[in-house]
Amino acid sequence: MAKVTILGAGITGLAIASQLPKTFDITIVARNLPGDEDSSEWASPWAGAVFMPMDPSTEREQRIQLESFRSWWQLAQQYPESGVSQVEMEDLIDSTALDKVWYRNKLPHFRVLSKNELPPNASFGMSYKSIILIPSVFLAWQKKRLETAGVRFLRRTVNSLAELKDLGHDILINAAGVGARYLNDVADKDLQEVRGQTVLVKSDFNKIWIRRGKDYTYALGRPDGTAILGGIKQYNNATQDVDAHLRADIFQRIYDNLPKVFPSSDPKDFKVIRDIVGIRPQRVGGARVEKAVVDGQLVVHAYGFPGGGYIASWGIAREVCRLVDGLYPSPEIVSAKL
């Protein structure tokens, strides 16, 4: 039986643990665990948490995303209590053309939006079925499911992979996200911190709406009667304070694009639950999924997908499983095990 330690209890670490062979002895080590009180120290609880294909994407990134989508779709169908739901998505792109969009016709109920469905000055848009989830619900649900399957969770603050050597694992999987930049024996300077700022409001908006381009804007309607309004991507910025100017700009952009749903740009006219600032890991050159030896430990790195961990999680997990299978062959590996 292989003994595996996974560093990181965010969406990537949880997905990897669920995909490894059921005969493996698995421990997840992290400073922050699902079910903790709110903390800005990790990214997964604060994500918009939708499946939104990243464009452009390399062939590898496309495969990772489609593998991930299939798993999310299956979860939404089989386990509604997981907090994962299927939802209509309207996806507007101002900077490209339809024939350049790699995921056209690859997602359920795909169609091109008509002109009267678009806001002013939008080039074109698409509609298709996607998924949305409530991170706090899903992360806690998945943790409980893994514990039932025998996975152990260990709270520990880790400054280097070498500090985990005492756990006696055969394989160490580094799914530390932003932490990979700060681990002393990893120190991946290609890993960027990408700041996002959003507003969580009460709303009966029941779809995902996103406009990509110069004014990157989205409204993510969740099934619990809330919506995440955004957005922004600020690279190499880890500031946790709410930017008041950006907050006002988000409300203005939401109103400009969806005036029938949100008929005001005044923050006082919204039922604001909270402002959210989250730091997303993104690696220059794409996600790092590769084996290495660190201080005598056999390590598989798994972090840094451009765009977001939820979009890539299950696809990254399968890449990790294929590597682990080569390092520690087992007839028990079950592809796409959820």
Side-chain angles (χ1 to χ4, degrees):
M1 177 190 297
K3 188 172 184 181
V4 176
T5 297
I6 300 172
L7 176 59
I11 180 57
T12 302
L14 298 181
I16 291 168
S18 74
Q19 298 291 288
L20 289 171
K22 60 185 179 182
T23 56
F24 279 18
D25 181 354
I26 302 170
T27 300
I28 296 178
V29 179
R31 175 187 57 196
N32 305 99
L33 300 175
D36 286 357
E37 293 184 6
D38 292 347
S39 171
S40 59
E41 292 181 331
W42 58 320
S44 289
W46 304 105
V50 299
F51 182 84
M52 178 188 72
M54 304 307 297
D55 192 48
S57 292
T58 66
E59 288 187 10
R60 175 202 176 209
E61 290 166 350
Q62 293 174 26
R63 173 180 53 77
I64 287 171
Q65 291 173 76
L66 291 177
E67 285 186 347
S68 193
F69 176 78
R70 285 190 286 269
S71 291
W72 284 123
W73 191 259
Q74 186 177 348
L75 277 168
Q77 289 180 319
Q78 296 184 354
Y79 303 101
E81 70 276 14
S82 69
V84 184
S85 302
Q86 297 173 357
V87 65
E88 180 186 356
M89 178 164 179
E90 292 185 358
D91 183 352
L92 286 62
I93 305 181
D94 292 333
S95 57
T96 189
L98 178 62
D99 61 358
K100 302 295 185 183
V101 177
W102 69 267
Y103 53 89
R104 65 188 185 279
N105 299 319
K106 292 185 178 180
L107 297 172
H109 305 287
F110 184 94
R111 69 179 180 88
V112 178
L113 295 174
S114 63
K115 281 291 184 182
N116 61 8
E117 294 177 279
L118 301 175
N121 303 317
S123 299
F124 79 95
M126 304 157 282
S127 173
Y128 48 85
K129 281 282 193 175
S130 188
I131 67 98
I132 191 167
L133 59 141
I134 304 169
S136 59
V137 174
F138 176 77
L139 294 171
W141 177 84
Q142 184 70 348
K143 178 176 182 283
K144 183 177 181 181
R145 200 155 179 253
L146 288 170
E147 288 176 322
T148 300
V151 175
R152 291 179 297 279
F153 286 78
L154 174 64
R155 189 186 302 277
R156 183 186 287 190
T157 298
V158 176
N159 296 307
S160 69
L161 298 183
E163 293 177 15
L164 297 171
K165 201 171 182 179
D166 65 294
L167 296 179
H169 37 252
D170 300 298
I171 300 172
L172 171 59
I173 298 173
N174 173 22
V178 167
R181 183 179 176 88
Y182 298 102
L183 292 168
N184 295 334
D185 45 10
V186 179
D188 189 342
K189 300 307 180 185
D190 286 331
L191 190 66
Q192 298 176 311
E193 293 173 300
V194 183
R195 181 182 184 274
Q197 179 176 315
T198 60
V199 187
L200 179 66
V201 301
K202 289 186 177 181
S203 173
D204 59 2
F205 186 61
N206 61 354
K207 65 176 67 173
I208 301 170
W209 186 96
I210 183 166
R211 185 170 183 176
R212 318 190 205 202
K214 176 179 176 291
D215 295 319
Y216 176 55
T217 305
Y218 53 77
L220 315 177
R222 290 177 170 175
D224 62 352
T226 66
I228 292 280
L229 308 181
I232 189 70
K233 291 181 180 179
Q234 296 175 319
Y235 291 86
N236 297 313
N237 183 343
T239 304
Q240 295 290 339
D241 294 336
V242 174
D243 182 325
H245 175 76
L246 175 58
R247 185 179 193 266
D249 183 55
I250 288 171
F251 285 119
Q252 183 64 55
R253 283 184 279 130
I254 289 292
Y255 166 70
D256 289 343
N257 283 281
L258 295 168
K260 292 181 180 179
V261 181
F262 301 101
S264 172
S265 62
D266 188 340
K268 295 178 182 178
D269 293 329
F270 290 78
K271 296 179 180 178
V272 176
I273 299 172
R274 65 170 55 170
D275 293 280
I276 297 173
V277 175
I279 309 301
R280 177 190 304 124
Q282 179 167 317
R283 188 170 183 270
V284 176
R288 186 182 186 188
V289 182
E290 62 185 18
K291 62 183 179 180
V293 176
V294 180
D295 194 34
Q297 302 175 99
L298 186 55
V299 174
V300 174
H301 294 293
Y303 61 84
F305 187 85
Y310 284 89
I311 297 169
S313 51
W314 302 101
I316 291 291
R318 296 205 179 105
E319 280 206 350
V320 170
C321 285
R322 287 188 280 268
L323 270 181
V324 169
D325 192 26
L327 298 169
Y328 201 101
S330 168
E332 299 295 332
I333 284 187
V334 180
S335 177
K337 183 171 87 282
L338 294 174

